[in-house]
Amino acid sequence: AFGETTVAIMPFFAAGQGQGPSSTMLRGAYLNATIASVRAGLTSHVVVAVANAADLDFARKCCGPLLDALYLPGLDNPNKLGVATLIAVHRLATSRGPDPLDAREKLYDKSERSATRWADRSDLGFVGSHEARRTGLPPREWRAATHFYYTEADQILRFRDADSIKTAALGKNPATTLLLPHRAVPMPLPDDFRTVPPGARAAREGLLATAELETNEAWGSVSLDRADDACCFPTVVHACQPAA
């Protein structure tokens, strides 16, 4: 039930890179892994927000069916995609009928003295929900959602005990519940890409040639055990029980 009323949303910027050192190819691999982890542990309702046509095409093809894709072009800085995504989520979650972003949302110039209809700046002729563009209306899950999981497109979600954590999040008073995840940073190594499916050899060679993988190889690594790594808690039970 929790997953059915939860929408996971993540901004994704690969073409032109924006902020961060990762190559475009690695960012696509991170996105795929992130979406797979969200589907496995939280919800199948996944939305990717992008700022250019190349990333929109990639996101819709790379990682299986999405609930929706948000097209948010015309930003003066790609690092603002995260804020634009949150604004878009709020509009879609609180509006009925056609996509309000495409219908009436505006962008201001840097002086904030003039506004232009956002869709008028789009090279694809629309902004906002790709599904609304395709079918006429945003997916009903936008309005039906009771929870939104906002994350980055390179953050793998891992639950030690998903049911207990979801129960805590849906307690008697969710407004007073705060869940703080621990953040571990995965570092891809060359060995992670030694074996690839047939037809993907060219992509593998491109990945192996990236400076990021060469740098990471010089670092040490720690293997995590899915059953036993309990972080700062001695057991799963301790991690999920309410605070005294």
Side-chain angles (χ1 to χ4, degrees), residues 7-88:
V7 172
I9 176 76
M10 60 200 72
F12 173 68
F13 195 96
Q17 293 198 15
Q19 186 177 35
S22 297
S23 70
T24 298
M25 295 180 68
L26 282 176
R27 288 185 181 215
Y30 297 161
L31 174 66
N32 201 342
T34 299
I35 291 177
S37 72
V38 170
R39 286 178 175 143
L42 182 62
T43 179
S44 62
H45 300 154
V46 178
V47 178
V48 177
V50 299
N52 59 73
D55 287 348
L56 177 64
D57 184 66
F58 179 85
R60 292 185 60 242
K61 294 177 179 178
C62 82
C63 312
L66 298 174
L67 171 68
D68 205 350
L70 300 184
Y71 190 49
L72 309 175
L75 305 176
D76 60 4
N77 187 328
N79 295 332
K80 295 181 179 179
L81 178 58
V83 174
T85 299
L86 292 175
I87 292 172

Side-chain angles (χ1 to χ4, degrees), residues 3-223:
E4 294 175 0
T5 59
T6 299
V7 172
I9 176 76
M10 60 200 72
F12 173 68
F13 195 96
Q17 293 198 15
Q19 186 177 35
S22 297
S23 70
T24 298
M25 295 180 68
L26 282 176
R27 288 185 181 215
Y30 297 161
L31 174 66
N32 201 342
T34 299
I35 291 177
S37 72
V38 170
R39 286 178 175 143
L42 182 62
T43 179
S44 62
H45 300 154
V46 178
V47 178
V48 177
V50 299
N52 59 73
D55 287 348
L56 177 64
D57 184 66
F58 179 85
R60 292 185 60 242
K61 294 177 179 178
C62 82
C63 312
L66 298 174
L67 171 68
D68 205 350
L70 300 184
Y71 190 49
L72 309 175
L75 305 176
D76 60 4
N77 187 328
N79 295 332
K80 295 181 179 179
L81 178 58
V83 174
T85 299
L86 292 175
I87 292 172
V89 169
H90 179 265
R91 300 290 192 272
L92 287 164
T94 58
S95 300
R96 297 184 183 275
D99 184 350
L101 296 165
D102 192 59
R104 58 180 179 271
E105 200 70 26
K106 295 182 179 181
L107 285 181
Y108 289 82
D109 61 23
K110 291 183 178 180
S111 68
E112 297 187 355
R113 296 177 180 176
S114 62
T116 303
R117 180 171 170 261
W118 197 347
D120 292 339
R121 294 195 189 183
S122 173
D123 54 340
L124 297 183
F126 82 102
V127 297
S129 168
H130 182 271
E131 286 300 300
R133 175 69 169 182
R134 190 176 67 86
T135 67
L137 292 173
R140 62 179 180 81
E141 287 82 358
W142 280 114
R143 282 285 300 176
T146 58
H147 292 77
F148 289 91
Y149 173 68
Y150 177 84
T151 186
E152 298 178 38
D154 60 355
Q155 300 295 306
I156 295 174
L157 176 66
R158 180 178 179 277
F159 281 126
R160 283 194 299 271
D161 189 333
D163 290 338
S164 295
I165 293 177
K166 292 171 186 176
T167 298
L170 293 173
K172 293 182 179 180
N173 188 356
T176 64
T177 301
L178 181 63
L179 299 179
L180 298 176
H182 291 278
R183 177 170 173 171
V185 180
M187 297 173 55
L189 302 173
D191 285 344
D192 296 330
F193 303 95
R194 298 298 184 192
T195 303
V196 296
R201 292 181 179 179
R204 180 194 63 182
E205 294 305 318
L207 287 169
L208 292 176
T210 60
E212 181 176 357
L213 289 185
E214 295 177 359
T215 300
N216 289 350
E217 192 171 26
W219 288 73
S221 62
V222 176
S223 296

